[in-house]
Amino acid sequence: MGSNFASQTAGKPIRCKAAVCRRAGEPLIIEEIEVAPPSSWEVRIKILCTSLCQSDLSFWKLSAGPASAFPRILGHEAAGVVESVGENVEEVKTGDIVVPVFKRNCGECRDCKSQKGNGCSKFSVEYHCGMPRDGSSRFEDKNGENLHHTLGVSSFSEYTVVDVTHVVKMSPDFPIDKASLLSCGVSTGLGAAWKVAEVEEGSTVAIFGLGAVGLAVAEGARLRGASKIIGVDLNPEKFEIGKKFGVTDFINPTTCGEKSISQVIKEMTDDGADYCFECIGLTSLMQDAFTSSRKDTGKTILLGIEMHGTPLSISPLELVVAGKTITGSMFGGVKAKVDIPIFANQYLNNELNLDGFITHEVSFEDINKAFDLLEARKSLRCIIWMDK
């Protein structure tokens, strides 16, 4: 895409194809839509490829609540090229390779400048279904009806508009499909191990759920020098897969007999793992993870999002007397504009395994196959190519 292309489309609406979700849980429909030009502080991106995250499945099925809105365009893991930019956008330009991210990073506010966490207080209101500055839509269907956004990205469209705080510039030489992986799931797991837990050499790690995020935690723990990385999953095939990312031991909860998962982990780790990660979003597993952590120094990190409203019950006695900690982690504590380029360099230096996460590839027209594969737990990441 060059300047000639941009001169033809910049400042004008673009008609393109998008996979529209009309109702909760129903197959996506490839439709022609209109994408508005970027307003101030916004970037319009030609999506080259996108991938399917477990969170997309959750939003797809979500039929009630403030984050539920239909019709909508799902998708928040992707990579693409900048088609045009609105006023006040200086950090990227037409032709740049970028990844859009759901967790904004303005780099200017108090939270972005802080070394603690990855919050961003640039905007006072969180919009799940529209643009972050005003909550409005940049998408219309062929009948002129607004289409709702998802997490400020909406990558299941040939073109999308995102706020500049949600854009990370990539090296033009970086593989596009691997760039897509870094926009959410893999970065979440890596960040949780490196930035939230700060796993150190020789430590023991237990990971509950070996999906893409859990395996990314394992990869991060491996790179940090953990001596034992225990994967907990119902699927025994995940052990062989997990070995590629550093998993040293595997527990299938259905084969523990009369012992609890925490008992088994404590026997394997000298009375508890130093770091436990819950990557599914089930309250029962969060409890198991906390119970499995080591007394006095154990740390439990919650990455899975509990979507059913079930509260987590932790005894204050365990926190005070046992001295263990439990913390939540959104996007693995990653500051997108700072940390994703670091992950990218580690991949280019052959330190970080990204290739192993890609298990399937489909064309945009077959996007519903990606949903089928993920629901059947047959894929880690399915790359969806827009032009193949």
Side-chain angles (χ1 to χ4, degrees), residues 42-306:
E42 294 177 357
V43 180
R44 188 160 61 184
I45 302 170
K46 176 180 172 61
I47 299 295
L48 299 178
C49 73
T50 183
S51 44
L52 183 62
C53 173
Q54 188 67 42
S55 296
D56 290 311
L57 284 185
S58 298
F59 279 104
W60 174 55
K61 296 177 180 179
L62 198 61
S63 58
S68 173
F70 299 94
R72 77 187 311 166
I73 298 176
L74 297 164
H76 65 280
E77 281 192 357
V81 61
V82 175
E83 175 272 335
S84 62
V85 301
E87 294 181 3
N88 304 310
V89 174
E90 297 179 354
E91 65 181 87
V92 295
K93 64 183 184 303
T94 298
D96 283 346
I97 299 297
V98 295
V99 294
V101 292
F102 78 94
K103 187 70 173 173
R104 64 176 177 264
N105 179 203
C106 74
E108 302 170 349
C109 69
R110 174 183 174 182
D111 290 316
C112 282
K113 291 180 179 180
S114 171
Q115 296 302 308
K116 300 177 181 179
N118 62 345
C120 177
S121 50
K122 182 72 172 181
F123 315 119
S124 59
V125 179
E126 289 285 353
Y127 288 103
H128 297 288
C129 307
M131 297 299 292
R133 296 179 191 252
D134 59 12
S136 62
S137 177
R138 300 293 178 267
F139 303 122
E140 288 185 358
D141 67 11
K142 62 182 180 181
N143 297 318
E145 179 183 7
N146 281 345
L147 300 170
H148 297 285
H149 295 234
T150 301
L151 296 175
V153 177
S154 294
S155 59
F156 293 170
S157 173
E158 292 179 320
Y159 287 85
T160 189
V161 177
V162 301
D163 193 272
V164 69
T165 58
H166 290 257
V167 174
V168 179
K169 183 177 177 179
M170 301 292 290
S171 165
D173 299 325
F174 197 83
I176 290 295
D177 52 347
K178 312 306 185 302
S180 176
L181 298 177
L182 292 176
S183 63
C184 181
V186 173
S187 291
T188 295
L190 292 173
W194 291 350
K195 299 175 68 71
V196 181
E198 294 182 311
V199 172
E200 72 274 2
E201 187 173 355
S203 59
T204 55
V205 171
I207 304 168
F208 292 74
L210 294 180
V213 172
L215 291 171
V217 171
E219 177 72 0
R222 178 187 71 80
L223 291 172
R224 297 279 292 194
S227 62
K228 187 182 288 290
I229 303 174
I230 304 167
V232 182
D233 202 286
L234 294 172
N235 184 355
E237 295 178 4
K238 289 295 181 70
F239 186 33
E240 289 302 316
I241 296 172
K243 288 179 181 179
K244 302 175 183 178
F245 300 95
V247 174
T248 60
D249 300 85
F250 182 79
I251 298 174
N252 184 336
T254 63
T255 62
C256 291
E258 296 182 357
K259 293 182 179 180
S260 65
I261 297 175
S262 60
Q263 286 178 307
V264 175
I265 290 176
K266 287 179 179 179
E267 290 175 359
M268 298 170 66
T269 58
D270 189 20
D271 205 29
D274 296 309
Y275 303 99
C276 292
F277 299 83
E278 199 283 338
C279 304
I280 299 296
L282 293 176
T283 302
S284 59
L285 283 184
M286 296 175 188
Q287 183 72 54
D288 286 338
F290 181 74
T291 306
S292 301
S293 64
R294 185 173 175 79
K295 183 180 178 182
D296 295 326
T297 58
K299 189 171 185 178
T300 300
I301 298 92
L302 307 182
L303 287 81
I305 299 178
E306 213 291 325

